[in-house]
Amino acid sequence: MTVDVFITTYNESVEVLRSTILAAVNMRYPHETYVLDDGRRPDIRKLATSLGASYLTREDNAHAKAGNINAALAVTSGEFVAVFDADHVPHPQFLERTLAYFDDGRVALVQTPQEFYNRDSIQHGGADDAAAVQMRWHEQALFYRVIQPGKDRLNSVFWCGSNAVLRRTALESIGGAATETITEDIHTTIKLHAAGWRTRYHNEVLAAGIAPDDLDAFLVQRRRWAQGSMQILRSRYNPLWARGLSMPQRLSYWASMSTYFASFQKLILVATPIAVLLTATLPMRTFGIDFLLHFAPYMALGLLANSLLARGYGHYLDTERFNLLKAFAFVRASASLVLNRNLKFQVTRKTRLTEEHKELALALPHLAVLAATAFAIAWAIRSAYFSDVSPQMQFALELTAIWAVYNAGLITLTVRGVLTRSHRRQQYRFETNIAGSFEEIEIADARRFDAAIVDLNPVGLGFQHSRALAAGQHLRVRMALPERVVEATAVVVNSLPPDGDGGWRIGARFAEISDEARDALTLFLFSDVAMPPPGAAARVAQAA
């Protein structure tokens, strides 16, 4: 099989792209790697060629990512095309694991999960669930670990834009990647299914990407998905009436695209207790025991069903927080269903937002609802205990106040999670436990010592030591990786006092490190540390 690997980019940094290009070029199985640069940047051309990839660009940015892919299809010839976003770093075995599905000549697409290595992102939350996966829960875990595998049974797996392989003849048969909407991936898949092609899901993590780091990037990405779905629903490719789809496919697509309307329900459930507490008007005729006998089983069975069907990825409170966080963006995006506006494809930013006031501005709708809820609770207390109301109404207001307090607590957790997040560095450090050998240099009483390296990235490291080291101290470092020993010179940035029995935490940045050594570190981090395949932990332990 002949394979072309496409890495799509527009404005991502050299640091982000270097890891992706390097890993793509080093994937096992013969292939050609192409960097598709819609930014037309000389430094990216230089980077691509230095790492062994070909560089492609075009005169304009028509149709954004879809247009970029179609332009590359016109000047390449591989039977299959593997597509990666600029930040998704593939494992060496990616092609080996996915290409065999295409022995079935009807298969047009093989999609793999999207997992994210920056576990301090806004998208991550909850605790590690070692029984389910050896990685941290994130907002898309349920989709990639439960929903997409379920879609595989119904031949309704859809392309998610990255970490996928497509058959060239299948793409060409529908005119290339869909350009009519800003969600080219799901739209393209609907066209493929309508034309009779099959899609498959390989449920194994074979690449690691960057999750949106802050609220701005998170909402830009989710709003684009919602707006693109609205564009599809108002087109002839609406899955409810598009020709060529089976009934299971129609239902599966509708389940994924109608989820954006759930935000209207979420906001109604937040607004209802406020209205009740302020007006003392109940939204139902029946109240008390009769209501609880109907409502309690409904709620209990709903929560139980969600828990069982989620296969351990439900995380109720985290899911509720994210539903609130996205609600206003989804409601706003729903306007695209009725308004025929030209929508601009917005690239999800891969770097940290520095303007903290923008985070606060984006959270203002939630803060406004929180303030309204607090005022409504105070008003209800006044009405219930300091005015003439019936015992039944007093009881109703008390129960509604409890509901409002729950909503207020959830909103508080949501906003707090946004506004209290902090980062120590621009580039994520991977947690590690590898052996390091250090030598102090440029001082009279230079010493050598061994220490465990506890975090690492291609530009710096952290290790534990029995004593503090002065900022600015130069160190010669030897790191024992599974395949080789990497050497570099590092400069101490800070020393943090012991937290428990671990010793001083020393942070350092690399002052001198060869490109060869940096690339070896990158391949190690993304192959064995970010989303480790089976056996990687044993390899690292053996090296240590």
Side-chain angles (χ1 to χ4, degrees):
M1 297 178 174
T2 56
V3 183
D4 293 331
V5 176
F6 289 174
I7 300 171
T8 59
T9 178
Y10 171 60
N11 59 3
E12 292 80 8
S13 68
V14 168
E15 291 75 17
V16 167
L17 275 164
R18 185 180 185 87
S19 301
T20 304
I21 299 170
L22 180 68
V25 168
N26 282 276
M27 284 192 296
R28 298 192 291 266
Y29 198 92
H31 63 281
E32 295 290 332
T33 301
Y34 296 89
V35 177
L36 281 49
D37 181 22
D38 258 1
R40 295 175 285 280
R41 294 162 291 174
D43 55 336
I44 302 301
R45 178 190 292 273
K46 181 180 179 181
L47 174 68
T49 54
S50 69
L51 294 175
S54 299
Y55 178 87
L56 297 176
T57 189
R58 53 187 180 140
E59 294 182 357
D60 58 37
N61 294 1
H63 304 301
K65 180 179 175 181
N68 198 4
I69 290 172
N70 290 338
L73 286 172
V75 294
T76 56
S77 59
E79 297 171 81
F80 302 94
V81 176
V83 181
F84 296 95
D85 285 346
D87 60 301
H88 282 269
V89 182
H91 281 183
Q93 68 272 31
F94 181 92
L95 295 174
E96 294 174 339
R97 294 286 202 270
T98 54
L99 287 175
Y101 288 96
F102 293 102
D103 283 348
D104 181 348
R106 300 170 299 168
V107 172
L109 164 76
V110 176
Q111 178 67 54
T112 69
Q114 290 189 16
E115 291 290 344
F116 307 94
Y117 62 82
N118 56 326
R119 299 180 184 181
D120 59 352
S121 81
I122 195 169
Q123 185 174 298
H124 286 78
D128 289 335
D129 188 353
V133 283
Q134 294 180 348
M135 59 191 70
R136 200 171 190 182
W137 184 91
H138 62 87
E139 187 254 354
Q140 294 185 65
L142 179 66
F143 175 76
Y144 283 111
R145 288 305 193 173
V146 180
I147 295 174
Q148 279 279 58
K151 289 177 180 293
D152 189 64
R153 288 192 62 207
L154 306 175
N155 187 28
S156 60
V157 171
F158 59 79
W159 182 23
C160 298
S162 184
N163 306 0
V165 185
L166 297 102
R167 188 187 297 270
R168 178 184 292 270
T169 54
L171 267 180
E172 291 175 343
S173 73
I174 60 168
T179 59
E180 299 94 328
T181 65
I182 58 174
T183 46
E184 78 293 329
D185 40 19
I186 188 171
H187 193 169
T188 299
T189 319
I190 293 175
K191 287 185 172 183
L192 288 170
H193 282 142
W197 292 96
R198 296 185 58 83
T199 59
R200 298 302 308 273
Y201 189 69
H202 183 74
N203 193 13
E204 177 187 8
V205 176
L206 294 173
I210 300 175
D213 187 77
D214 51 59
L215 183 59
D216 178 57
F218 179 82
L219 293 181
V220 163
Q221 184 183 68
R222 297 325 192 258
R223 186 164 57 245
R224 185 181 73 240
W225 294 350
Q227 288 175 327
S229 292
M230 297 304 108
Q231 287 180 308
I232 294 173
L233 289 177
R234 68 193 308 272
S235 75
R236 67 189 182 95
Y237 285 100
N238 183 316
L240 296 181
W241 56 68
R243 292 183 178 181
L245 299 182
S246 67
M247 183 55 68
Q249 287 174 330
R250 295 182 194 279
L251 294 174
S252 181
Y253 275 115
W254 174 249
S256 292
M257 300 171 80
S258 63
T259 186
Y260 299 110
F261 299 121
S263 291
F264 287 95
Q265 179 197 45
K266 178 60 61 181
L267 292 181
I268 289 172
L269 291 175
V270 169
T272 297
I274 298 174
V276 172
L277 294 175
L278 290 178
T279 65
T281 302
L282 300 180
M284 63 199 76
R285 293 195 182 98
T286 303
F287 202 76
I289 284 294
D290 192 31
F291 167 72
L292 290 176
L293 287 176
H294 289 80
F295 183 73
Y298 158 76
M299 282 296 294
L301 289 172
L303 291 173
L304 178 62
N306 271 316
S307 176
L308 294 175
L309 293 171
R311 307 292 199 276
Y313 294 89
H315 287 236
Y316 175 75
L317 282 178
D318 284 315
T319 300
E320 287 295 289
R321 285 196 304 109
F322 280 108
N323 286 340
L324 271 174
L325 200 59
K326 299 178 292 188
F328 291 100
F330 284 174
V331 167
R332 176 184 169 190
S334 298
S336 300
L337 184 63
V338 293
L339 299 177
N340 188 17
R341 298 179 299 180
N342 289 327
L343 299 175
K344 183 180 179 182
F345 185 100
Q346 288 185 278
V347 177
T348 305
R349 188 167 29 80
K350 308 300 189 299
T351 54
R352 183 170 67 91
L353 182 72
T354 56
E355 303 90 350
E356 294 181 2
H357 67 276
K358 189 170 185 179
E359 296 275 82
L360 179 61
L362 291 169
L364 281 179
H366 300 85
L367 292 173
V369 173
L370 182 61
T373 303
F375 177 78
I377 293 172
W379 184 267
I381 292 173
R382 171 188 170 279
S383 301
Y385 299 107
F386 300 100
S387 62
D388 187 19
V389 297
S390 67
Q392 184 182 12
M393 178 56 69
Q394 182 176 347
F395 179 60
L397 290 175
E398 289 170 348
L399 286 183
T400 307
I402 293 173
W403 180 10
V405 167
Y406 167 79
N407 285 344
L410 199 59
I411 296 170
T412 300
L413 287 174
T414 301
V415 175
R416 181 175 178 271
V418 170
L419 299 182
T420 61
R421 295 176 63 254
S422 61
H423 300 271
R424 290 180 297 165
R425 54 182 65 88
Q426 289 282 349
Q427 197 164 344
Y428 182 78
R429 284 268 185 96
F430 296 91
E431 293 182 5
T432 60
N433 183 23
I434 63 175
S437 176
F438 299 82
E439 179 184 357
E440 298 177 2
I441 55 179
E442 298 181 352
I443 58 175
D445 57 342
R447 285 178 268 187
R448 295 183 180 182
F449 58 90
D450 295 328
I453 298 173
V454 294
D455 60 52
L456 181 66
N457 66 23
V459 298
L461 77 164
F463 61 93
Q464 289 185 328
H465 191 35
S466 58
R467 61 185 176 86
L469 297 178
Q473 170 65 53
H474 282 67
L475 304 170
R476 188 171 289 113
V477 186
R478 290 169 55 88
M479 293 165 278
L481 306 186
E483 305 295 339
R484 57 176 290 181
V485 173
V486 170
E487 297 186 358
T489 300
V491 179
V492 174
V493 176
N494 56 36
S495 297
L496 301 178
D499 182 12
D501 300 326
W504 287 80
R505 180 91 168 224
I506 313 298
R509 59 176 173 80
F510 294 127
E512 294 181 14
I513 182 170
S514 67
D515 288 343
E516 182 183 6
R518 194 187 303 276
D519 290 348
L521 273 183
T522 299
L523 292 174
F524 161 71
L525 290 171
F526 284 98
S527 296
D528 288 357
V529 179
M531 298 292 167
R539 294 175 65 236
V540 175
Q542 184 178 11

